Amino acid sequence: MKRISEIYGSTKGPVYSFEFFPPKTPEGDVKLMETVKELSSLHPDFVTVTYGAGGSTKDKTVEISSLIGKNHSIPAVPHFTCVGADQAQILESLKRIRSEGILNLMALRGDPPKGQGEFKKTPGGFENATELISFIRLENLDFCIGGGCYPEKHPDAKTLEEDVRHLKLKVEAGADFLVSQLFFMNSAFEKFLNLVRKIYKRVSKTDFTK
Ligand SMILES: Cc1cc2nc3c(=O)[nH]c(=O)nc-3n(C[C@H](O)[C@H](O)[C@H](O)COP(=O)(O)OP(=O)(O)OC[C@H]3O[C@@H](n4cnc5c(N)ncnc54)[C@H](O)[C@@H]3O)c2cc1C
């Protein structure tokens, strides 16, 4: 199975993917697999499978990613967050994902549980995605790691510039590729990309000119 970084590295053209979320019912499971089969005829470069808020779909996310990878030979990337788990629990989950033969992972901080305004790290857990990604690298689990980015700024960041500076730390910690939050105005994405290029200029190992 290919690493997502290899896919981006081997083409100058667009790379496209579909995002699926784990169904809540057995009927939904059947429908999802029918949909995956239908969409696979469009030859997406990869697909991703979301992780329910607070880890509510933890096992299901991995199970679906593994099934898609095995049955359709499409790299299927599970999303993963550090909400509600300490380092030992995170490590156990990551090892389980790796044992399914999954090479690619979207490593995210996650949102605070409903009703909890601010994100608070779980005792013994991680403050942000940068810490999670550093941990995955230190544990040598050999994942190709994706991170999230926000063309219109992450809500917790004071400014877009501050957010992009944090994004640089995320890449330096070991993120191999980034997937953006949805945006509706191309101009917002262009502004974001220009800022990324400006802030990354001095980082020789990262090529953001493509
Ligand atoms: C493509 C994509 C897919 C997603 N899929 C899911 C999903 O499946 N399940 C789910 O629950 N959520 C998902 N989310 C939502 C995501 O969990 C939330 O947006 C969450 O609030 C932030 O996650 P993050 O990994 O981007 O966080 P981070 O990168 O940790 O950013 C969160 C805040 O911390 C700041 N920050 C980051 N690094 C540092 C640092 N080193 N020092 C100081 N501050 C820092 C950032 O500027 C930002 O304000 C997804 C988001 C995206 C963009």
Side-chain angles (χ1 to χ4, degrees):
M1 199 59 71
K2 273 192 181 164
R3 288 170 183 269
I4 306 305
S5 52
E6 279 174 50
I7 298 173
Y8 279 106
S10 63
T11 176
K12 286 219 180 295
V15 169
Y16 74 98
S17 63
F18 297 120
E19 180 181 285
F20 300 114
F21 59 90
K24 292 195 172 73
T25 61
E27 297 77 34
D29 287 347
V30 174
K31 190 82 194 148
L32 173 67
M33 286 308 156
E34 283 169 10
T35 307
V36 171
K37 189 172 173 204
E38 211 174 317
L39 290 177
S40 68
S41 65
L42 298 173
H43 307 295
D45 294 288
F46 65 96
V47 301
T48 64
V49 184
T50 64
Y51 194 79
S56 53
T57 65
K58 199 166 118 193
D59 294 333
K60 195 93 188 179
T61 297
V62 179
E63 188 191 312
I64 294 169
S65 305
S66 174
L67 261 180
I68 296 176
K70 283 175 188 149
N71 294 347
H72 297 279
S73 305
I74 306 169
V77 187
H79 292 198
F80 183 79
T81 79
C82 48
V83 172
D86 63 20
Q87 287 190 24
Q89 291 163 323
I90 288 172
L91 184 58
E92 194 189 319
S93 299
L94 292 168
K95 284 185 174 164
R96 200 199 135 218
I97 298 173
R98 206 59 195 85
S99 73
E100 287 288 330
I102 293 172
L103 269 181
N104 302 290
L105 184 78
M106 274 299 289
L108 301 147
R109 183 196 76 178
D111 283 320
K114 262 197 185 134
Q116 180 189 304
E118 266 180 30
F119 179 86
K120 288 195 189 76
K121 84 167 186 180
T122 299
F126 299 115
E127 195 80 58
N128 50 54
T130 310
E131 289 186 4
L132 171 64
I133 292 170
S134 295
F135 177 76
I136 300 173
R137 285 291 173 238
L138 278 173
E139 289 295 332
N140 277 322
L141 292 166
D142 195 27
F143 278 112
C144 173
I145 306 173
C149 64
Y150 300 81
E152 293 175 301
K153 186 182 90 57
H154 184 273
D156 294 355
K158 288 191 199 80
T159 63
L160 183 61
E161 173 142 359
E162 178 191 90
D163 206 20
V164 173
R165 289 192 183 278
H166 292 155
L167 188 61
K168 181 171 179 279
L169 297 178
K170 195 187 288 193
V171 172
E172 287 169 352
D176 295 296
F177 67 101
L178 300 171
V179 179
S180 86
Q181 185 55 284
L182 279 179
F183 58 89
F184 296 102
M185 301 288 289
N186 285 348
S187 56
F189 186 67
E190 278 162 24
K191 185 177 161 211
F192 166 76
L193 210 52
N194 284 335
L195 190 58
V196 168
R197 286 183 176 131
K198 198 173 127 201
I199 290 174
Y200 281 74
K201 224 174 193 168
R202 292 183 301 269
V203 186
S204 55
K205 68 173 186 173
T206 312
D207 182 3
F208 277 87
T209 56
K210 284 177 196 156

